[in-house]
Amino acid sequence: MPALPAAGDPFDALGDSNRRAIVELLGSGGRTVQEIADALPISRPAVSRHLRLLKNAGLVIDEPRGTRRIYQLQGEGVEAVQRYLLEVWGDAATRFRLLARNARPNPKNR
């Protein structure tokens, strides 16, 4: 697996449905903890814990703005996960497509 930008494992972090929901929300732009909590059925303290794990895994960064912190996706962490998935599954997906094309029923053989 390619080197990841943080100490935590992004796949462990993404193993929780609430953290995946947070990542999906942040995919449309930065949000505060309260905005994330308002959009999900979990408490603000729970959102903070999930964000801490996502940040430790290199998937999220935070930026202070006045008295609030804005959380957003960390591009390098997300790209590292994407590279890993392409590395592992890219060849498999290509082989699967070739197999699917070659396994199609030939109308002439009917």
Side-chain angles (χ1 to χ4, degrees), residues 5-23:
D9 184 342
F11 292 99
D12 283 343
L14 293 171
D16 180 90
S17 62
N18 289 314
R19 289 191 287 273
R20 287 192 305 272
I22 291 170
V23 167

Side-chain angles (χ1 to χ4, degrees), residues 21-109:
I22 291 170
V23 167
E24 290 171 20
L25 282 171
L26 294 178
S28 63
R31 295 177 186 239
T32 65
V33 172
Q34 188 62 56
E35 289 170 334
I36 296 168
D38 289 345
L40 298 174
I42 56 177
S43 68
R44 185 179 168 152
V47 168
S48 292
R49 286 190 299 275
H50 288 303
L51 285 167
R52 190 170 32 256
L53 286 166
L54 290 167
K55 186 176 177 181
N56 187 44
L59 297 172
V60 169
I61 57 173
D62 61 329
E63 177 184 319
R65 289 196 194 148
T67 59
R68 301 182 306 164
R69 300 192 83 66
I70 306 299
Y71 288 85
Q72 54 195 0
L73 293 180
Q74 205 305 48
E76 291 176 23
V78 173
E79 289 169 7
V81 170
Q82 185 178 27
R83 279 193 307 274
Y84 172 76
L85 291 173
L86 285 173
E87 182 179 308
V88 171
W89 293 104
D91 289 340
T94 300
R95 288 192 302 272
F96 180 76
R97 276 193 298 276
L98 286 171
L99 177 66
R101 268 191 224 128
N102 292 326
R104 286 186 185 147
N106 187 340
K108 294 179 184 177
N109 293 338

